[in-house]
Amino acid sequence: MKIVGFHELGPDRWNPLAASSPEAWLTHDAAWVGIEERFFAATNLSFGLVENGDVVGIQPLYLNESGVFGERLLHSGIHRHTGLAIPEGIDRSTMRAVRSAAMKQIFALGELYDVDRIQLNSHNLAPANRSASREEIPFWVRDFGFHLGIAFGPHGMTPFPGLSTVNADQLIDLDRSEDELFANLDDGCRRAVRKAIKAGLEFELATDRSALDSYLEIARESAARTGEVLPPADYYQAVLESFFSQGRAHLLFARAQEIRLAGLFLLSDKGAVHFMAGVSRPDELNFRPNDFLHWSAMLWAKRAGFQTYRLGPWFPEVPRDWPISKVSYFKTKFGSKARPIIQGSMFRRPEKYIRELPAIRDSFECIGHRTAPSSLTAQTGSEFVAHLLRVFGLAQASASSDGTPVVLYRPQGTDVDMARAVLASGRAVAAVLPAVEFAEAFAVAAEARTIGSAQALRAETAGTRPWKRLRTLHSYMRFVAPDGVPIVSDDEGRAAWLCLSNAAGGPIMFIGTDFVSDIVRYRQGDPAAAAKRPAEAMWGFAGERPNYLFEGQLAGESLRERPADWWCEALADALARYCGVSRLPMLPNGAVGAIVVTGDDDQAALSCYAQQREALGSTPVTYFLHPLTKHTASTLKQLKSGRKVELGLHPDALEHPDRYAELFADQAKWFEQLTGEGARTVRNHGFLNDGYWRHATAWNAHGVKGSSNLPGLDGCILNGSLLPAKLLLDDRLTEHWSVLTAIGDGIVFVHGWDDQQSADCILGLAERIRNDGVPGVIVVNLHPENIGKTQGMHQAVRKLVEDGFVPWTMSECFEWFERRPSQSGSAARRRFALPWS
């Protein structure tokens, strides 16, 4: 059996089978394949099967790139389904041979174009699928290992191995009487039709292709209301040019006298009509033209001899507030019967979808599947890893700096040449979640391992240090290579991180855990949790604290651990150990830790400020000023006189959290008028969070450099880190830094601790940092108003400074990690005006 390409076969040999096959419909027609190629597909790979000169099969087939997950997809039509079509009456032996040959070609094309997924389907309006002989389980599922069904999320198709969503095609049997058809309409639909008729609406079947101008005019009005992105006008014109004169494309309108209020674009073939698109004028919806027009189209189709009217799919098992349900639910009110759409996938690279699970977090949040942070572009992921490496002492971890590692996030086969060029220069490459073909280019075999919950891995070189245990929240890849050195291993002793020391010059590291998503999930919390915000007060105080964003990933773990920092330390250590990358001290002069004292104003008496400054001595402090502060410009000048005092903003929206952005703008302006400078740092009054970091939008809009809005209270490391880092939001590494407030003087009130206990809390956290061997920054929040009950905490702060902890203001902390100099001597001390200079 010979495979012949679509263009080689030509329409004259293609179309007779498309017209006669019970498995084909209009979307199999050569003209439609040409439309698909012109408007929707990157490449037309359709082919025919020829035996002894006869065409015994046609298979529309297309290649698309990007799309969901940035996947490379081979498919037989997405919304315009097709499938393998063979002649009517063919014997079973020949049928099996044609199907086998077609699948062999499909798999060969999948291999040649290195696709991630193959999607096949079958059109529900093909005569074979409307008959009693319909194959509910297609041969490519039964015999060739495809998964039946496709998963759908709120906004559309979201394929994932083993998951599917009921996609119920709404078909109306037109063989019934007109009275029966009307009786089958929903009550509301019948009322709408009657209202439209009473209002004088009329039905019009266009007889000329020029009516497309009216249709497009209405479409533009409709899109202005809905925000819908319309296909190009050329697409509609191409459909009409190919099928209008054949009576297989139709324009129908609902009119009020001479004005067309709504339009339908229908396709028809082989006794069935398909609703392709519909539009209506927004200002005329009260006349119910859409209900009237579909009802009129059904009557027209019946009277024209068609047996079936297809409205298209609805998704009965998804939440009704999902967009795909909202836009498709109307199709169920016309008396239709639901018939599953036959479609499914072969996941050639399932690990890609496992890695990309973050991208479908929202899709499955409502139905019990594990959720994860949003997916990122390769560039953003690489930038974030490089940023974290800089925090951990790799001064110039970027692709443009000589001698530093080049970070590649999710490198594909197309990145192999670039990686080899980098290695040839002697520099190291860190490939985070590489595609299988990328790994194979370096003789590294890769496989995915799916986990149902957090998985503990092991850093091979950590010894007894606490970062030996690394906890990933996502499925991961495992690598095997003859000369590979395991860096991080799983419980089966398989390498989740692997280093090749001499890969075409420099060393290359394969990182199989979702390093970026793990860090973001730990540091910033789980965005899925934002949909389930608790309403009750925490620690006896009202206000939405962000703790609930972190509870899921911290469940069952010690709240004294630093899982986000351990991952970063493991990577920085591995690059230094195996790739010859030098590390600078993380803190000035190699200090073991730093301490930042903050004070929330909360309208404290000015005498309390004076007492606190005396208790802190020369220790720097950052005061967050409340809009109702008792300070004036003159008292602030006095407060800062001779002392290192930074002023930040303590925005208050407790009374009106829904107006946060507006209130923040007003309060930022007030702050600047009072202090003569813009707010560089913030902490919300009440630790408000508004879901998943939505307040960061206001902060970034006003140029706020950093925040300490996550509360640890008693040394709980809520975000798994005692170091600052920039926020990664909406696929962008922002310029806003965040650091945990590890300890607050609320422990005196929440826990009822005395001076000794509260001081021990601070000193104990410092001791843990020393024992960890990984520097950390302790932010301690001490309200001036509470000075009478927190003398022990103030004394503990001063002791830490005496013991070598670097005392910083909040801005100094962020600036050090932003602009850390390469030297740690006198120039560094002058640059940051450190107190011991």
Side-chain angles (χ1 to χ4, degrees), residues 447-472:
E447 66 172 8
R449 188 180 188 196
T450 305
I451 62 173
S453 58
Q455 173 79 29
L457 305 175
R458 181 179 67 254
E460 296 291 348
T461 60
T464 59
R465 285 169 288 188
W467 54 272
K468 177 177 183 178
R469 183 175 182 268
L470 302 169
R471 187 169 175 265
T472 183

PDB file of all heavy atoms in Angstrom, residues 447-472:
ATOM      1  N   GLU A 447      13.661   9.770  32.007  1.00  0.00           N
ATOM      2  CA  GLU A 447      12.318   9.248  32.195  1.00  0.00           C
ATOM      3  C   GLU A 447      11.621  10.084  33.259  1.00  0.00           C
ATOM      4  O   GLU A 447      12.263  10.732  34.077  1.00  0.00           O
ATOM      5  CB  GLU A 447      12.347   7.780  32.637  1.00  0.00           C
ATOM      6  CG  GLU A 447      12.946   7.570  34.024  1.00  0.00           C
ATOM      7  CD  GLU A 447      12.789   6.135  34.511  1.00  0.00           C
ATOM      8  OE1 GLU A 447      12.367   5.300  33.717  1.00  0.00           O
ATOM      9  OE2 GLU A 447      13.099   5.889  35.693  1.00  0.00           O
ATOM     10  N   ALA A 448      10.299  10.096  33.193  1.00  0.00           N
ATOM     11  CA  ALA A 448       9.526  10.862  34.176  1.00  0.00           C
ATOM     12  C   ALA A 448       9.089   9.962  35.314  1.00  0.00           C
ATOM     13  O   ALA A 448       8.788   8.786  35.110  1.00  0.00           O
ATOM     14  CB  ALA A 448       8.306  11.487  33.511  1.00  0.00           C
ATOM     15  N   ARG A 449       9.055  10.521  36.493  1.00  0.00           N
ATOM     16  CA  ARG A 449       8.497   9.817  37.634  1.00  0.00           C
ATOM     17  C   ARG A 449       7.390  10.680  38.226  1.00  0.00           C
ATOM     18  O   ARG A 449       7.629  11.809  38.657  1.00  0.00           O
ATOM     19  CB  ARG A 449       9.547   9.530  38.700  1.00  0.00           C
ATOM     20  CG  ARG A 449       8.964   8.617  39.797  1.00  0.00           C
ATOM     21  CD  ARG A 449       9.955   8.305  40.883  1.00  0.00           C
ATOM     22  NE  ARG A 449       9.407   7.303  41.784  1.00  0.00           N
ATOM     23  CZ  ARG A 449       9.890   7.040  42.988  1.00  0.00           C
ATOM     24  NH1 ARG A 449      10.940   7.690  43.441  1.00  0.00           N
ATOM     25  NH2 ARG A 449       9.354   6.108  43.745  1.00  0.00           N
ATOM     26  N   THR A 450       6.195  10.150  38.239  1.00  0.00           N
ATOM     27  CA  THR A 450       5.038  10.872  38.752  1.00  0.00           C
ATOM     28  C   THR A 450       4.902  10.621  40.243  1.00  0.00           C
ATOM     29  O   THR A 450       5.034   9.493  40.703  1.00  0.00           O
ATOM     30  CB  THR A 450       3.762  10.417  38.041  1.00  0.00           C
ATOM     31  OG1 THR A 450       3.937  10.564  36.640  1.00  0.00           O
ATOM     32  CG2 THR A 450       2.575  11.252  38.473  1.00  0.00           C
ATOM     33  N   ILE A 451       4.632  11.680  40.984  1.00  0.00           N
ATOM     34  CA  ILE A 451       4.414  11.538  42.418  1.00  0.00           C
ATOM     35  C   ILE A 451       3.037  12.076  42.759  1.00  0.00           C
ATOM     36  O   ILE A 451       2.531  12.996  42.128  1.00  0.00           O
ATOM     37  CB  ILE A 451       5.496  12.270  43.240  1.00  0.00           C
ATOM     38  CG1 ILE A 451       5.476  13.788  42.955  1.00  0.00           C
ATOM     39  CG2 ILE A 451       6.870  11.704  42.950  1.00  0.00           C
ATOM     40  CD1 ILE A 451       6.399  14.586  43.839  1.00  0.00           C
ATOM     41  N   GLY A 452       2.426  11.480  43.765  1.00  0.00           N
ATOM     42  CA  GLY A 452       1.106  11.926  44.184  1.00  0.00           C
ATOM     43  C   GLY A 452       1.151  12.963  45.279  1.00  0.00           C
ATOM     44  O   GLY A 452       0.191  13.665  45.529  1.00  0.00           O
ATOM     45  N   SER A 453       2.283  13.058  45.965  1.00  0.00           N
ATOM     46  CA  SER A 453       2.460  14.054  47.016  1.00  0.00           C
ATOM     47  C   SER A 453       3.939  14.400  47.072  1.00  0.00           C
ATOM     48  O   SER A 453       4.728  13.895  46.281  1.00  0.00           O
ATOM     49  CB  SER A 453       1.983  13.506  48.368  1.00  0.00           C
ATOM     50  OG  SER A 453       2.690  12.328  48.701  1.00  0.00           O
ATOM     51  N   ALA A 454       4.303  15.270  47.996  1.00  0.00           N
ATOM     52  CA  ALA A 454       5.693  15.713  48.077  1.00  0.00           C
ATOM     53  C   ALA A 454       6.637  14.510  48.223  1.00  0.00           C
ATOM     54  O   ALA A 454       6.332  13.536  48.907  1.00  0.00           O
ATOM     55  CB  ALA A 454       5.863  16.666  49.251  1.00  0.00           C
ATOM     56  N   GLN A 455       7.773  14.602  47.558  1.00  0.00           N
ATOM     57  CA  GLN A 455       8.748  13.514  47.531  1.00  0.00           C
ATOM     58  C   GLN A 455      10.069  14.006  48.099  1.00  0.00           C
ATOM     59  O   GLN A 455      10.582  15.045  47.690  1.00  0.00           O
ATOM     60  CB  GLN A 455       8.956  13.036  46.086  1.00  0.00           C
ATOM     61  CG  GLN A 455      10.058  12.019  45.900  1.00  0.00           C
ATOM     62  CD  GLN A 455       9.631  10.613  46.305  1.00  0.00           C
ATOM     63  OE1 GLN A 455       8.460  10.300  46.202  1.00  0.00           O
ATOM     64  NE2 GLN A 455      10.578   9.803  46.715  1.00  0.00           N
ATOM     65  N   ALA A 456      10.628  13.264  49.051  1.00  0.00           N
ATOM     66  CA  ALA A 456      11.917  13.612  49.630  1.00  0.00           C
ATOM     67  C   ALA A 456      13.039  13.018  48.790  1.00  0.00           C
ATOM     68  O   ALA A 456      13.054  11.817  48.510  1.00  0.00           O
ATOM     69  CB  ALA A 456      12.019  13.108  51.066  1.00  0.00           C
ATOM     70  N   LEU A 457      13.960  13.881  48.360  1.00  0.00           N
ATOM     71  CA  LEU A 457      15.139  13.466  47.613  1.00  0.00           C
ATOM     72  C   LEU A 457      16.374  13.719  48.478  1.00  0.00           C
ATOM     73  O   LEU A 457      16.280  14.271  49.573  1.00  0.00           O
ATOM     74  CB  LEU A 457      15.222  14.233  46.291  1.00  0.00           C
ATOM     75  CG  LEU A 457      13.983  14.139  45.389  1.00  0.00           C
ATOM     76  CD1 LEU A 457      14.134  15.021  44.170  1.00  0.00           C
ATOM     77  CD2 LEU A 457      13.725  12.702  44.976  1.00  0.00           C
ATOM     78  N   ARG A 458      17.520  13.326  47.970  1.00  0.00           N
ATOM     79  CA  ARG A 458      18.742  13.392  48.784  1.00  0.00           C
ATOM     80  C   ARG A 458      19.855  14.075  47.997  1.00  0.00           C
ATOM     81  O   ARG A 458      20.176  13.679  46.875  1.00  0.00           O
ATOM     82  CB  ARG A 458      19.169  11.978  49.177  1.00  0.00           C
ATOM     83  CG  ARG A 458      20.423  11.923  50.049  1.00  0.00           C
ATOM     84  CD  ARG A 458      20.782  10.500  50.422  1.00  0.00           C
ATOM     85  NE  ARG A 458      21.208   9.713  49.254  1.00  0.00           N
ATOM     86  CZ  ARG A 458      20.475   8.779  48.663  1.00  0.00           C
ATOM     87  NH1 ARG A 458      19.258   8.509  49.121  1.00  0.00           N
ATOM     88  NH2 ARG A 458      20.926   8.098  47.630  1.00  0.00           N
ATOM     89  N   ALA A 459      20.460  15.115  48.607  1.00  0.00           N
ATOM     90  CA  ALA A 459      21.638  15.757  48.037  1.00  0.00           C
ATOM     91  C   ALA A 459      22.859  14.923  48.412  1.00  0.00           C
ATOM     92  O   ALA A 459      23.176  14.771  49.597  1.00  0.00           O
ATOM     93  CB  ALA A 459      21.773  17.180  48.547  1.00  0.00           C
ATOM     94  N   GLU A 460      23.529  14.386  47.406  1.00  0.00           N
ATOM     95  CA  GLU A 460      24.585  13.407  47.660  1.00  0.00           C
ATOM     96  C   GLU A 460      25.799  13.981  48.393  1.00  0.00           C
ATOM     97  O   GLU A 460      26.524  13.251  49.051  1.00  0.00           O
ATOM     98  CB  GLU A 460      25.027  12.776  46.337  1.00  0.00           C
ATOM     99  CG  GLU A 460      23.946  11.971  45.641  1.00  0.00           C
ATOM    100  CD  GLU A 460      23.615  10.687  46.410  1.00  0.00           C
ATOM    101  OE1 GLU A 460      24.357  10.315  47.335  1.00  0.00           O
ATOM    102  OE2 GLU A 460      22.594  10.063  46.064  1.00  0.00           O
ATOM    103  N   THR A 461      26.059  15.266  48.254  1.00  0.00           N
ATOM    104  CA  THR A 461      27.290  15.835  48.819  1.00  0.00           C
ATOM    105  C   THR A 461      27.043  16.677  50.067  1.00  0.00           C
ATOM    106  O   THR A 461      27.956  17.346  50.545  1.00  0.00           O
ATOM    107  CB  THR A 461      27.996  16.712  47.763  1.00  0.00           C
ATOM    108  OG1 THR A 461      27.122  17.769  47.376  1.00  0.00           O
ATOM    109  CG2 THR A 461      28.369  15.883  46.543  1.00  0.00           C
ATOM    110  N   ALA A 462      25.825  16.657  50.588  1.00  0.00           N
ATOM    111  CA  ALA A 462      25.502  17.531  51.722  1.00  0.00           C
ATOM    112  C   ALA A 462      26.031  17.005  53.045  1.00  0.00           C
ATOM    113  O   ALA A 462      26.071  17.740  54.034  1.00  0.00           O
ATOM    114  CB  ALA A 462      23.993  17.727  51.823  1.00  0.00           C
ATOM    115  N   GLY A 463      26.428  15.751  53.069  1.00  0.00           N
ATOM    116  CA  GLY A 463      26.873  15.178  54.331  1.00  0.00           C
ATOM    117  C   GLY A 463      25.735  15.141  55.339  1.00  0.00           C
ATOM    118  O   GLY A 463      24.648  14.676  55.037  1.00  0.00           O
ATOM    119  N   THR A 464      26.001  15.661  56.547  1.00  0.00           N
ATOM    120  CA  THR A 464      24.961  15.672  57.581  1.00  0.00           C
ATOM    121  C   THR A 464      24.243  17.013  57.677  1.00  0.00           C
ATOM    122  O   THR A 464      23.415  17.205  58.561  1.00  0.00           O
ATOM    123  CB  THR A 464      25.595  15.353  58.949  1.00  0.00           C
ATOM    124  OG1 THR A 464      26.594  16.336  59.244  1.00  0.00           O
ATOM    125  CG2 THR A 464      26.231  13.966  58.941  1.00  0.00           C
ATOM    126  N   ARG A 465      24.559  17.923  56.761  1.00  0.00           N
ATOM    127  CA  ARG A 465      23.945  19.240  56.810  1.00  0.00           C
ATOM    128  C   ARG A 465      22.461  19.156  56.478  1.00  0.00           C
ATOM    129  O   ARG A 465      22.022  18.252  55.756  1.00  0.00           O
ATOM    130  CB  ARG A 465      24.673  20.187  55.871  1.00  0.00           C
ATOM    131  CG  ARG A 465      26.023  20.640  56.437  1.00  0.00           C
ATOM    132  CD  ARG A 465      26.867  21.347  55.412  1.00  0.00           C
ATOM    133  NE  ARG A 465      27.378  20.401  54.419  1.00  0.00           N
ATOM    134  CZ  ARG A 465      28.265  20.701  53.479  1.00  0.00           C
ATOM    135  NH1 ARG A 465      28.736  21.931  53.409  1.00  0.00           N
ATOM    136  NH2 ARG A 465      28.683  19.793  52.629  1.00  0.00           N
ATOM    137  N   PRO A 466      21.670  20.084  56.987  1.00  0.00           N
ATOM    138  CA  PRO A 466      20.206  19.967  56.855  1.00  0.00           C
ATOM    139  C   PRO A 466      19.719  20.006  55.419  1.00  0.00           C
ATOM    140  O   PRO A 466      18.636  19.497  55.131  1.00  0.00           O
ATOM    141  CB  PRO A 466      19.683  21.161  57.664  1.00  0.00           C
ATOM    142  CG  PRO A 466      20.825  22.102  57.776  1.00  0.00           C
ATOM    143  CD  PRO A 466      22.052  21.261  57.797  1.00  0.00           C
ATOM    144  N   TRP A 467      20.492  20.582  54.498  1.00  0.00           N
ATOM    145  CA  TRP A 467      20.023  20.618  53.113  1.00  0.00           C
ATOM    146  C   TRP A 467      20.270  19.295  52.380  1.00  0.00           C
ATOM    147  O   TRP A 467      20.045  19.198  51.170  1.00  0.00           O
ATOM    148  CB  TRP A 467      20.624  21.794  52.356  1.00  0.00           C
ATOM    149  CG  TRP A 467      22.120  21.915  52.367  1.00  0.00           C
ATOM    150  CD1 TRP A 467      22.873  22.564  53.291  1.00  0.00           C
ATOM    151  CD2 TRP A 467      23.030  21.412  51.388  1.00  0.00           C
ATOM    152  NE1 TRP A 467      24.205  22.486  52.968  1.00  0.00           N
ATOM    153  CE2 TRP A 467      24.328  21.786  51.789  1.00  0.00           C
ATOM    154  CE3 TRP A 467      22.882  20.687  50.215  1.00  0.00           C
ATOM    155  CZ2 TRP A 467      25.462  21.467  51.059  1.00  0.00           C
ATOM    156  CZ3 TRP A 467      24.010  20.357  49.477  1.00  0.00           C
ATOM    157  CH2 TRP A 467      25.282  20.739  49.908  1.00  0.00           C
ATOM    158  N   LYS A 468      20.681  18.275  53.126  1.00  0.00           N
ATOM    159  CA  LYS A 468      20.781  16.943  52.516  1.00  0.00           C
ATOM    160  C   LYS A 468      19.413  16.461  52.060  1.00  0.00           C
ATOM    161  O   LYS A 468      19.279  15.794  51.036  1.00  0.00           O
ATOM    162  CB  LYS A 468      21.371  15.958  53.531  1.00  0.00           C
ATOM    163  CG  LYS A 468      21.442  14.525  53.005  1.00  0.00           C
ATOM    164  CD  LYS A 468      22.090  13.601  54.023  1.00  0.00           C
ATOM    165  CE  LYS A 468      22.213  12.190  53.466  1.00  0.00           C
ATOM    166  NZ  LYS A 468      22.890  11.279  54.420  1.00  0.00           N
ATOM    167  N   ARG A 469      18.377  16.783  52.828  1.00  0.00           N
ATOM    168  CA  ARG A 469      17.015  16.351  52.481  1.00  0.00           C
ATOM    169  C   ARG A 469      16.339  17.451  51.672  1.00  0.00           C
ATOM    170  O   ARG A 469      16.131  18.564  52.153  1.00  0.00           O
ATOM    171  CB  ARG A 469      16.211  16.063  53.751  1.00  0.00           C
ATOM    172  CG  ARG A 469      14.798  15.538  53.490  1.00  0.00           C
ATOM    173  CD  ARG A 469      14.140  15.173  54.816  1.00  0.00           C
ATOM    174  NE  ARG A 469      12.802  14.609  54.616  1.00  0.00           N
ATOM    175  CZ  ARG A 469      11.687  15.323  54.612  1.00  0.00           C
ATOM    176  NH1 ARG A 469      11.751  16.641  54.798  1.00  0.00           N
ATOM    177  NH2 ARG A 469      10.510  14.756  54.439  1.00  0.00           N
ATOM    178  N   LEU A 470      16.008  17.129  50.450  1.00  0.00           N
ATOM    179  CA  LEU A 470      15.377  18.074  49.534  1.00  0.00           C
ATOM    180  C   LEU A 470      13.981  17.569  49.204  1.00  0.00           C
ATOM    181  O   LEU A 470      13.812  16.405  48.831  1.00  0.00           O
ATOM    182  CB  LEU A 470      16.208  18.203  48.251  1.00  0.00           C
ATOM    183  CG  LEU A 470      17.658  18.647  48.464  1.00  0.00           C
ATOM    184  CD1 LEU A 470      18.459  18.480  47.180  1.00  0.00           C
ATOM    185  CD2 LEU A 470      17.712  20.092  48.938  1.00  0.00           C
ATOM    186  N   ARG A 471      13.025  18.427  49.327  1.00  0.00           N
ATOM    187  CA  ARG A 471      11.631  17.999  49.203  1.00  0.00           C
ATOM    188  C   ARG A 471      10.979  18.675  47.998  1.00  0.00           C
ATOM    189  O   ARG A 471      10.749  19.883  47.990  1.00  0.00           O
ATOM    190  CB  ARG A 471      10.888  18.361  50.499  1.00  0.00           C
ATOM    191  CG  ARG A 471       9.467  17.835  50.613  1.00  0.00           C
ATOM    192  CD  ARG A 471       9.005  18.042  52.037  1.00  0.00           C
ATOM    193  NE  ARG A 471       7.611  17.671  52.233  1.00  0.00           N
ATOM    194  CZ  ARG A 471       6.601  18.543  52.178  1.00  0.00           C
ATOM    195  NH1 ARG A 471       6.854  19.808  51.928  1.00  0.00           N
ATOM    196  NH2 ARG A 471       5.357  18.149  52.374  1.00  0.00           N
ATOM    197  N   THR A 472      10.697  17.882  46.961  1.00  0.00           N
ATOM    198  CA  THR A 472      10.045  18.420  45.781  1.00  0.00           C
ATOM    199  C   THR A 472       8.536  18.246  45.887  1.00  0.00           C
ATOM    200  O   THR A 472       8.043  17.252  46.437  1.00  0.00           O
ATOM    201  CB  THR A 472      10.569  17.755  44.495  1.00  0.00           C
ATOM    202  OG1 THR A 472       9.932  18.368  43.360  1.00  0.00           O
ATOM    203  CG2 THR A 472      10.276  16.259  44.470  1.00  0.00           C
TER     204      THR A 472
END
